[in-house]
Amino acid sequence: MTRLLAIFALLITVNAFAADPFKTAKSAIKSKNGLENAEKGLTDYAADLQTPPTQRARAFNMAAQVADRIREVENEKMYLKQQFDTARYFNALLRVYQYTMSCDSVETEPDERGRLRSAFGKDNRRRRQDVAANLLQGGKWMMKHGRYGEAYDMFDVYDRADSADRKVDNSNRRLPVWAAKCGLLAGRMHGARHYAARAIAMRDEVAEMIGYKSQAELALGDTTAWLKTLGEGVEQFPANRSFFLALGGYHRRRGERKVALALTDRAVAACPDTIIYREARCQLLYEMGEWARCIEAGDFILGRNADNIAANFYTGASLVSRAEEQAKAMPLDTKSERYRKEREEVRSHYQRARKALENFRRMRREDVSLWAPLLYKVYYALNMGKELNEVEQYIK
């Protein structure tokens, strides 16, 4: 029994020693081996709320020392012209800063005896001053290499750092732009919106930042803010198609075509040579049943480009609809001058529609469901038997 108790006591002692994160960390710092594992042991210990506050603060401070040792190891490799892990180096810098901040945060609260102590404040401040200035360079390196989440973290931590901890230079002004881009690409939408708004206020790459901000708001489900930002984009940058297409498309999908048309009219007025705006206007007018206005809008486009696909379709379709409406309203007296005149107008509409729709068919043969029914009406109205029989095969 005595022997069993001795063995049990020995196992407890061994396990306690193996579980001591501070001893493990000190050994790793000295040997330069197992640093990441030692760091994790410390952070797990600090994250355990059962750990006394003084020990939590100590663990964060030691974790900063381990991360700092990782940075030193990679720095030594660089000077010795050995293989150098740049990402490991910069990420270690970031963790040094984060751990010292966590340590300070723990020490702002009463310890297990109700005391307020700052055992590590001076050491933490020194370590932050050693690494903070390089976080900006780390973020730029991560961004260049497509590691956007890590880049965002570095930019964000650098931005929040005390001015006494970081080097201030002209490149700092670019940080909101970089952080917004990286935040968006890394899925940090709240951060992307925050930094894009900062960049806009600084008048830095405003059009692009409005785009980033709107994308972040859409991802966050803040439709009201998204629409407001898109509206600002349209007003400030009418030539930027993305704002117009997103905002106009939203109103069109909701059936708010009058709102979308008003937006389109402003875009056309601001950028009269931008054909995509005129195409959108043509489509809206067709969907609203404004046949005459749609034909006029389509004719303007076709006057510049006879092979414009959208204009050929919407103009042709509107001419067919206009012809059908006018045919229904024709006078009953087939011998009257009015009947003869309107019959010629109806025939003229179908003839013009034929040209536009045959052009559309030539360019978009795969869209049978669009051109076949319309051309069938045209050929029937114009008494074109051969063409009618041919297009009828597509309808069947």
Side-chain angles (χ1 to χ4, degrees), residues 132-370:
N134 287 322
L135 288 176
L136 186 64
Q137 298 305 316
K140 290 163 67 175
W141 186 90
M142 293 293 181
M143 179 174 63
K144 180 180 178 181
H145 290 81
R147 303 174 68 145
Y148 299 111
E150 293 160 290
Y152 174 82
D153 289 339
M154 291 182 185
F155 290 139
D156 187 53
V157 170
Y158 180 86
D159 183 63
R160 296 172 188 273
D162 291 341
S163 58
D165 292 344
R166 60 184 180 177
K167 179 182 178 182
V168 179
D169 57 44
N170 290 333
S171 65
N172 293 10
R173 285 184 53 82
R174 299 286 294 156
L175 185 145
V177 170
W178 298 332
K181 176 182 178 180
C182 292
L184 189 70
L185 293 172
R188 313 285 181 85
M189 297 305 172
H190 286 287
R193 176 163 66 174
H194 167 74
Y195 283 109
R198 283 256 306 272
I200 292 168
M202 295 168 65
R203 306 307 296 171
D204 196 353
E205 297 188 20
V206 178
E208 187 175 9
M209 291 299 104
I210 288 177
Y212 286 175
K213 184 170 180 283
S214 67
Q215 290 179 61
E217 289 164 343
L218 180 62
L220 291 169
D222 193 342
T223 305
T224 301
W226 175 65
L227 292 173
K228 182 175 182 293
T229 301
L230 286 178
E232 292 169 356
V234 169
E235 291 299 321
Q236 294 183 50
F237 304 97
N240 189 313
R241 301 178 184 182
S242 61
F243 301 137
F244 168 81
L245 292 174
L247 188 57
Y250 171 83
H251 290 301
R252 180 173 171 269
R253 288 191 300 274
R254 289 170 57 87
E256 300 168 349
R257 290 189 172 84
K258 288 185 178 180
V259 177
L261 182 61
L263 174 70
T264 306
D265 287 341
R266 292 199 301 272
V268 169
C271 304
D273 295 326
T274 304
I275 295 300
I276 192 172
Y277 295 164
R278 292 186 177 275
E279 289 175 342
R281 185 170 183 272
C282 200
Q283 179 184 14
L284 285 166
L285 289 169
Y286 172 74
E287 292 174 347
M288 294 170 68
E290 298 276 358
W291 314 130
R293 294 176 67 192
C294 179
I295 293 166
E296 181 183 6
D299 283 344
F300 181 90
I301 299 172
L302 295 174
R304 298 191 172 193
N305 179 11
D307 285 337
N308 183 280
I309 295 173
N312 272 292
F313 175 76
Y314 292 118
T315 301
S318 293
L319 282 163
V320 170
S321 296
R322 188 177 184 185
E324 289 177 328
E325 285 187 353
Q326 191 168 349
K328 290 178 182 179
M330 285 174 62
L332 298 176
D333 185 0
T334 58
K335 295 182 179 180
S336 67
E337 180 64 21
R338 181 186 166 195
Y339 176 86
R340 184 191 65 77
K341 181 179 179 181
E342 291 196 12
R343 184 182 63 180
E344 289 301 316
E345 288 179 357
V346 168
R347 183 175 180 82
S348 175
H349 294 330
Y350 278 120
Q351 288 174 333
R352 290 184 61 200
R354 175 191 173 190
K355 180 180 178 181
L357 292 171
E358 285 181 342
N359 279 340
F360 178 76
R361 175 184 180 179
R362 172 176 56 81
M363 293 180 286
R364 296 296 292 268
R365 290 188 177 277
E366 68 276 15
D367 290 331
V368 177
S369 62
L370 295 178

